[in-house]
Amino acid sequence: MKRTATEIGRMGESAVCRYLMQQGYTIRKRNYRIRGGEIDIIAQKGEILAFVEVKTRYVSETVSPLEWLLPQQQARIIRTAMVYCAEQNPDWTWQPRYDAAAVIIDRGKIVSVEYVENAFDASGLDVII
């Protein structure tokens, strides 16, 4: 039975959360949404606050999931992260980092998780909150 895109996305996000917790991160929030933006996972380890975009795809797809992370989406994630930080603590001292994870599934099972720290940053992007 083929899973829906939402089910596939949740499956990938859960796998990345497990990975992050194994690496010593605390999951602060999943699927944080504001008007015009969403962040799949917000995780913290010490002073690092990782804003993680998760792309989950079937093994049969020829394009790497990380290739789907376009500059427009990066700008939305950065803007959404800025709103999150301002809501949590206007005087925040966290070091924000923008990570990405590619999850590949085959026959309903996760076959790989690729995690990229500092997958992108705000340089060169026009981001206004």
Side-chain angles (χ1 to χ4, degrees):
M1 174 177 79
K2 191 127 175 156
R3 296 176 188 259
T4 67
T6 301
E7 290 171 330
I8 292 167
R10 284 191 187 125
M11 193 169 141
E13 289 170 8
S14 293
V16 173
C17 283
R18 285 190 300 274
Y19 169 82
L20 286 167
M21 288 187 294
Q22 290 170 351
Q23 303 303 310
Y25 287 83
T26 300
I27 305 303
R28 292 180 60 103
K29 188 85 173 155
R30 282 182 68 170
N31 304 114
Y32 173 77
R33 287 184 175 88
I34 63 167
R35 185 175 184 176
E38 178 189 359
I39 297 173
D40 294 326
I41 301 168
I42 302 172
Q44 183 176 358
K45 184 176 184 181
E47 295 297 312
I48 299 292
L49 197 58
F51 297 93
V52 185
E53 176 65 16
V54 179
K55 297 292 186 182
T56 306
R57 300 290 184 262
Y58 284 103
V59 72
S60 60
E61 294 184 34
T62 57
V63 177
S64 164
L66 294 177
E67 291 180 51
W68 291 79
L69 191 54
L70 302 174
Q72 309 92 291
Q73 187 175 20
Q74 293 174 24
R76 282 194 302 272
I77 291 167
I78 291 167
R79 185 175 59 80
T80 304
M82 293 168 71
V83 170
Y84 175 84
C85 289
E87 285 178 356
Q88 295 303 304
N89 182 357
D91 299 321
W92 60 282
T93 58
W94 302 304
Q95 176 62 48
R97 191 178 71 205
Y98 305 100
D99 298 354
V103 179
I104 305 296
I105 63 170
D106 186 22
R107 297 184 203 124
K109 296 190 179 179
I110 294 168
V111 294
S112 71
V113 175
E114 176 186 356
Y115 193 86
V116 180
E117 292 182 359
N118 292 307
F120 58 94
D121 60 34
S123 62
L125 296 175
D126 188 19
V127 180
I128 300 172
I129 59 169

